[in-house]
Amino acid sequence: MTGATPEPGDPFGTARLREATLRAWQDSPTRLIEDTNVERDLRVGAYRDRLFVELAQNAADAAMAGGKPGRVRVSLVDSELRFANTGAPLDARGVASLASLRASGKTGGTVGRFGVGFAAVRTVSDEPRVVSSTGGVAFSVERTRQAAGVDGDVPVLRLPWPVPADVPPGFDTEVRLPLRDEVDGRVLLGELARDVADLLLALPWLAEVDVDGRVWTREADGDVVEIRGPEKSTRWLTHRGDVVWAVPVGAEGAPRPLEEDVLHAPTPTDDGLSLPARLLASVPVEPSRRRALPGPELAKVLELAAKEYVGLVRLLPPEHRFALVPTPGFPKSTVDAKLRDEVLGALSAEPWLSTQDGVDVSGRQARVLDVDVPGLPALLADLVPGLLGGGAPAQALKAVAVQVIGIEEVLETLTGVTRDPSWWRDVYVALAIAVESHALAAERLDGLPVPLSDGRTLPGARGCLLVEGSAELLDLLSDVDIPGLRLVHPGASHPLLERLGAKHADARELLNADQLRDAVERSAEDVRSGLDGTTLAGAVLRLIADCGDDAPSWVGALALPGTGTWRRADELVLPVSPLLDIFDEEVFEEDGALDVLDEDFAEDWPVGTLMAAGVLDSFTLVVDDEPHEPDHDLPDEETWWDSLPEPPSTLVAIRDLDLVADDAWPAALRLLAARPETWHALRTPRGHAAWWIAQYAVLGEAAPNEWRLPEADLAGLYDEVPDLGLSLPILKAAGVRADLGLSTVDEAADLLGRLADEERAVSPGLTTRAYDAVAESGLEPRPPRAVRAADGSVVDDALVLDVPWVAGALEPDRYVVAPEEPERLADLLDLPLASGAPAEVTSEGEYAPWGELPALKLVADQLGIRLPDGGVLVHDPLTVRIEGAEHDVPWWSDDRLHAADTSEGLARAFAWAAGRWPDRHLITALLDDPSPRTLLA
């Protein structure tokens, strides 16, 4: 080797550099080998795929040195790759750096202050050149071999040669790389196009890159860097401090977290990262520039980067910050593991999470719901310190020490909280959305507090009632306190509560609630003890009104104001009721059965509503669809009940009949007839109303059943009802007699008493019908003091005629006729039967079979009567002794049948024996004159 002399046009002193290098190789033959090996290592190892990265960072350094954002143009001219850039041109120091494999001329804040990046050109070219506005240099494998006097592999980048300055217009420097035959320039351009956007982000001093006519630009607006390319644009939110953190963002600023990346130092390394954002940091790297160099300096940089990561997070709107929390997973590298731990620690300790009340807190100070319920955190802001807003990912935030609280814990916090009902409804709205979307199981809300209309807030919706009704009703219910009746405050009502066990309740359902019934039934007692009954009265009346004035019977217990004190509703009469003129005055005296409803209170409510509550305007019905016993508070109800052959299937009665004044019954009856309901009850067969009125009402100073209707065939027994201005149907319904029907023991006893009244003139036929009526009634009156005999006379003693033959032996004043049930009548009158009276036949008779009596055979033939068996004892005359005296009789019957030898006697005996007793008179006539004329007449 020989020394080289300087060449003309060598502004960078390349001759001197070559001479020094060649001398070093000559002085130390191993030095050539070492340089050759170093360049080979860089070419095939550290920089094998970093050509554009290294050239781009050199261009960025030149732009920074020039003090103006730089431009880069990459093109392919024939088989030569050209990389032109703006910025500070090439100088001698730079050339010396290019020709050194172990040192760099860059200092300070330039990107490539570690390693020798220009060696990357050797991966594609054996004849690289760098031309600048200040001059140029070239490297050549052939010229190096010649200068070194060796064959084979040589360190090309150790010997620079000057070349003319030939820079494209608009640029300051251009690297020209004639490509080796095996290198495809189009493939290289494709690789660069793929990496341009990342290079522009990492190298802030580059503003534009043109790759074969396709242009990428970099534009910064505050913390946002936008990389615009020929096909798409990318926006990055960046935080610059000692390191740079960057995360892609959308047009609206929402982050688009990275799924995986590598550490940028500041250009890419092989250290994989799993953080959502990109880290660009000047860290020590291995000579290969592919991995960070472990050690204290790296650890310090990573610790600092973690703290500044919080700064990047804070740049995002609070609702988007959660996206930058590292997700769980295996680390991508040792650097990744260390950096993730540091970042999670910083997010746990530094404030960055925005709470619902607008305060930034650290992860350790924050709380998050275990279920994302949009809208709920805002409602809980002042109840749960440090609570984060909706959308906060509970599981991810665990990694930064955020306390995850369950819905059950929230419910415990809410228990006992006093809030406006509308606030509670907003809570239910938020929870309902979560339940409907299946994000939250409804079973977890069992203890959800519910505000009630009485001001209480109780845990759990089960058993609560969601009130439906008018605004007035809801307002009234909000003021009433009904123990046990859990009415949800109308302002908090929501369908979620129904899903959790609450039930919808309209006015009718509320009116049938057991709790309300209990409150109503004790309301009068509560008022007497000093409680105010106004709110309960108003609420119940409003419920009745909303039900269409249809209410259960127990609402009659509702306390309402009277003239003197509060009374049960069914003990009050409307101020304009006709009952005020019908009921006895004593009824309305102090402590009387009834009082009059307060007039001012009555004016506030419709008459129909008050009547439905039990306040009296007219007579009131008592209805029981399944009566089992006399427990309806009707006057003399047990007596009436006992008079019935069997309990009624349905009880329809009229209350308060016993309160009518004696002289007001005509008006009372007209009032009862005026209303269909009471008119029907009055006419119900065997009903209580008719039964009671018939015997206890007063018409003309007597009970209705003591009078008869004008056309009734009862003259002598009953007097005609006086003219009281009542119609015939009303008189009949009231019990004025049209016949001898008896329904009570008293009526039966009264009838027997009338029959025993000597002042009365009663026809024999009416007497007989009257005794039959008593016998057939089934009633058991006491025996009368006297009886009316068959001749109409009143006697103290008589026989009850039970057989016809005895009548021929006794005078009519000695017996009572009862053809239907003589035995029962005898028991009722306590009299003996006529058939039991001692008697004997005292005359002699001759026995004659029926067939041996020609006249009777002829009559039997005429009438078609079969002759009976046996015969008759014929007497002339027939004498019978009875009651100590003898009497001639037409016929008699004892152990045998007897007849006087007369047409009358034989006819009666034959009719009795043949079972044709009603034909006895016809048989008598035919015996006297058996001609057809007699039969036909």
Side-chain angles (χ1 to χ4, degrees):
M1 294 182 189
T2 60
T5 59
E7 298 181 8
D10 185 5
F12 305 125
T14 59
R16 178 180 54 81
L17 293 174
R18 291 195 303 276
E19 181 180 359
T21 299
L22 290 171
R23 185 183 303 112
W25 290 349
Q26 185 178 13
D27 293 342
S28 179
T30 59
R31 180 65 179 270
L32 174 62
I33 299 174
E34 291 177 359
D35 287 350
T36 300
N37 291 338
V38 168
E39 184 174 291
R40 181 189 302 112
D41 289 343
L42 294 175
R43 183 179 76 245
V44 302
Y47 296 104
R48 66 180 181 274
D49 56 0
R50 296 181 62 85
L51 171 64
F52 295 117
V53 172
E54 297 301 332
L55 293 180
Q57 69 184 21
N58 287 341
D61 290 341
M64 182 176 67
K68 182 179 180 180
R71 293 183 299 111
V72 172
R73 184 181 70 186
V74 183
S75 59
L76 187 65
V77 180
D78 296 330
S79 62
E80 183 176 88
L81 185 69
R82 296 184 177 182
F83 194 99
N85 65 273
T86 63
L90 188 63
D91 58 15
R93 186 175 182 179
V95 172
S97 178
L98 292 176
S100 173
L101 295 178
R102 295 179 175 84
S104 171
K106 301 175 184 179
T107 59
T110 56
V111 174
R113 67 185 179 90
F114 300 105
V116 185
F118 188 70
V121 301
R122 289 287 287 120
T123 63
V124 298
S125 179
D126 292 334
E127 306 291 331
R129 301 191 307 279
V130 179
V131 294
S132 184
S133 59
T134 56
V137 294
F139 300 91
S140 171
V141 64
E142 290 301 329
R143 294 181 71 176
T144 300
R145 286 172 181 166
Q146 292 175 6
V150 296
D151 294 326
D153 201 3
V154 293
V156 175
L157 299 182
R158 292 290 280 128
L159 301 179
W161 280 272
V163 295
D166 182 18
V167 183
F171 293 91
D172 297 304
T173 304
E174 185 174 59
V175 178
R176 295 174 180 175
L177 304 174
L179 300 177
R180 289 195 296 272
D181 292 340
E182 73 272 14
V183 178
D184 189 335
R186 290 295 168 187
V187 173
L188 288 177
L189 291 178
E191 293 175 353
L192 175 57
R194 182 190 62 198
D195 298 335
V196 167
D198 286 345
L199 288 172
L200 284 174
L201 175 66
L203 305 172
W205 279 97
L206 290 185
E208 178 182 296
V209 175
D210 181 337
V211 180
D212 198 27
R214 293 180 291 170
V215 178
W216 284 261
T217 61
R218 181 187 199 276
E219 184 176 339
D221 181 11
D223 297 315
V224 177
V225 174
E226 183 171 6
I227 310 296
R228 294 191 181 95
E231 296 179 356
K232 67 176 183 178
S233 296
T234 306
R235 292 167 56 86
W236 293 77
L237 178 67
T238 63
H239 178 273
R240 294 185 177 274
D242 292 319
V243 300
V244 177
W245 283 101
V247 63
V249 294
E252 302 300 325
R256 297 173 178 175
L258 300 175
E259 293 185 2
E260 61 179 32
D261 200 12
V262 296
L263 172 65
H264 286 66
T267 51
T269 68
D270 286 347
D271 287 312
L273 296 182
S274 60
L275 296 176
R278 174 170 295 174
L279 173 61
L280 301 98
S282 295
V283 299
V285 293
E286 296 175 349
S288 66
R289 296 183 59 85
R290 294 187 174 276
R291 293 193 179 277
L293 186 64
E297 186 175 356
L298 175 62
K300 183 177 181 181
V301 172
L302 295 181
E303 182 180 349
L304 183 63
K307 292 181 179 179
E308 294 192 2
Y309 188 86
V310 180
L312 174 68
V313 174
R314 289 189 188 134
L315 291 178
L316 289 169
E319 65 272 16
H320 294 315
R321 295 176 183 176
F322 312 119
L324 294 191
V325 176
T327 57
F330 291 106
K332 303 292 184 181
S333 64
T334 304
V335 173
D336 186 39
K338 175 64 175 176
L339 186 57
R340 281 172 57 87
D341 289 344
E342 294 288 348
V343 167
L344 292 174
L347 293 176
S348 299
E350 299 295 327
W352 63 279
L353 289 165
S354 183
T355 64
Q356 280 297 319
D357 50 8
V359 178
D360 279 356
V361 297
S362 66
R364 293 189 182 93
Q365 296 170 320
R367 296 182 180 182
V368 64
L369 299 180
D370 65 343
V371 177
D372 184 16
V373 183
L376 182 61
L379 297 167
L380 304 177
D382 60 337
L383 298 174
V384 183
L387 183 63
L388 303 180
Q395 293 305 314
L397 291 176
K398 284 183 178 180
V400 293
V402 173
Q403 179 183 352
V404 179
I405 59 176
I407 288 296
E408 293 80 3
E409 185 176 348
V410 172
L411 298 186
E412 290 181 8
T413 301
L414 293 179
T415 301
V417 169
T418 301
R419 286 291 189 274
D420 187 81
S422 61
W423 181 88
W424 286 104
R425 192 179 193 283
D426 291 341
V427 171
Y428 304 152
V429 169
L431 292 173
I433 295 174
V435 171
E436 290 299 328
S437 65
H438 303 290
L440 176 63
E443 293 75 13
R444 296 183 65 189
L445 300 177
D446 282 346
L448 181 64
V450 179
L452 304 184
S453 60
D454 59 10
R456 295 177 297 160
T457 300
L458 299 180
R462 196 170 305 280
C464 291
L465 298 178
L466 297 167
V467 182
E468 300 174 356
S470 65
E472 182 182 359
L473 171 62
L474 301 180
D475 184 56
L476 286 168
L477 289 175
S478 66
D479 294 332
V480 68
D481 180 11
I482 303 174
L485 189 62
R486 302 178 64 180
L487 302 179
V488 178
H489 193 287
S493 180
H494 189 273
L496 174 66
L497 299 179
E498 184 178 8
R499 183 164 184 170
L500 298 180
K503 295 182 179 180
H504 278 283
D506 57 16
R508 188 173 306 281
E509 290 168 321
L510 285 175
L511 201 55
N512 288 313
D514 292 338
Q515 298 88 344
L516 182 62
R517 177 173 183 170
D518 293 340
V520 168
E521 290 179 342
R522 67 171 179 271
S523 60
E525 181 180 349
D526 288 344
V527 171
R528 285 194 294 270
S529 65
L531 297 180
D532 183 10
T534 305
T535 55
L536 179 62
V540 174
L541 291 177
R542 185 70 264 171
L543 287 172
I544 294 172
D546 284 5
C547 288
D549 297 336
D550 182 18
S553 60
W554 52 260
V555 299
L558 178 65
L560 297 178
T563 56
T565 184
W566 285 61
R567 298 282 292 269
R568 289 170 55 105
D570 55 12
E571 295 177 356
L572 293 169
V573 179
L574 290 174
V576 294
S577 170
L579 295 178
L580 296 175
D581 298 323
I582 291 176
F583 285 167
D584 194 297
E585 292 181 357
E586 294 182 357
V587 170
F588 300 103
E589 293 179 355
E590 186 176 358
D591 296 330
L594 300 177
D595 195 0
V596 181
L597 183 66
D598 180 80
E599 290 189 16
D600 293 336
F601 187 88
E603 291 176 356
D604 292 337
W605 296 95
V607 170
T609 300
L610 293 172
M611 290 177 60
V615 180
L616 304 179
D617 178 57
S618 183
F619 287 101
T620 302
L621 294 182
V622 176
V623 180
D624 187 349
D625 292 330
E626 297 181 358
H628 299 295
E629 54 183 327
D631 58 353
H632 306 90
D633 294 328
L634 298 172
D636 299 291
E637 184 179 3
E638 290 190 6
T639 302
W640 165 73
W641 190 277
D642 292 340
S643 73
L644 299 175
E646 60 182 16
S649 59
T650 299
L651 172 69
V652 181
I654 303 172
R655 55 167 278 189
D656 300 328
L657 294 174
D658 54 336
L659 305 183
V660 177
D662 288 347
D663 59 356
W665 270 106
L669 290 172
R670 282 189 287 270
L671 183 60
L672 290 170
R675 291 184 59 205
E677 297 85 356
T678 52
W679 180 238
H680 170 72
L682 185 58
R683 300 179 66 190
T684 299
R686 305 184 73 83
H688 175 272
W691 172 84
W692 195 90
I693 290 175
Q695 55 190 331
Y696 294 111
V698 178
L699 296 178
E701 300 183 355
N705 64 4
E706 297 181 26
W707 300 105
R708 66 175 173 85
L709 297 174
E711 69 275 15
D713 185 17
L714 301 175
L717 278 177
Y718 298 96
D719 297 333
E720 182 179 337
V721 64
D723 184 5
L724 300 173
L726 298 174
S727 67
L728 183 62
I730 293 178
L731 291 173
K732 287 182 177 180
V736 177
R737 292 191 173 279
D739 53 37
L740 290 171
L742 303 174
S743 59
T744 69
V745 172
D746 289 343
E747 284 185 308
D750 176 69
L751 179 55
L752 292 178
R754 290 171 181 269
L755 288 169
D757 185 355
E758 296 179 354
E759 299 297 323
R760 294 183 176 276
V762 184
S763 68
L766 180 56
T767 299
T768 299
R769 294 198 303 276
Y771 280 127
D772 277 343
V774 174
E776 293 171 358
S777 69
L779 302 171
E780 300 287 342
R782 290 184 178 182
R785 58 176 178 78
V787 296
R788 190 169 293 266
D791 64 350
S793 62
V794 176
V795 297
D796 295 334
D797 184 33
L799 300 175
V800 176
L801 188 66
D802 59 333
V803 290
W805 55 83
V806 178
L810 299 176
E811 296 298 326
D813 63 350
R814 285 294 302 136
Y815 57 84
V816 175
V817 178
E820 297 299 329
E821 296 185 55
E823 293 84 359
R824 172 161 171 73
L825 182 62
D827 289 339
L828 293 174
L829 300 181
D830 195 20
L831 295 177
L833 290 170
S835 61
E840 62 175 329
V841 177
T842 58
S843 62
E844 294 292 333
E846 181 179 350
Y847 178 75
W850 296 113
E852 295 181 5
L853 299 173
L856 278 174
K857 286 182 64 178
L858 178 61
V859 170
D861 182 63
Q862 286 179 295
L863 296 178
I865 298 174
R866 176 178 174 277
L867 290 174
D869 295 334
V872 62
L873 290 172
V874 180
H875 299 257
D876 187 20
L878 175 57
T879 304
V880 175
R881 180 182 298 277
I882 187 172
E883 291 189 339
E886 291 188 347
H887 302 273
D888 289 337
V889 296
W891 73 294
W892 195 263
S893 177
D894 45 24
D895 294 335
R896 293 176 296 178
L897 194 61
H898 305 266
D901 191 10
T902 63
S903 297
E904 180 182 3
L906 290 171
R908 280 166 170 71
F910 180 72
W912 185 265
R916 299 290 292 269
W917 181 247
D919 294 329
R920 61 191 181 280
H921 301 296
L922 176 58
I923 295 172
T924 300
L926 287 173
L927 287 175
D928 290 337
D929 181 6
S931 69
R933 179 178 58 190
T934 302
L935 179 63
L936 295 175

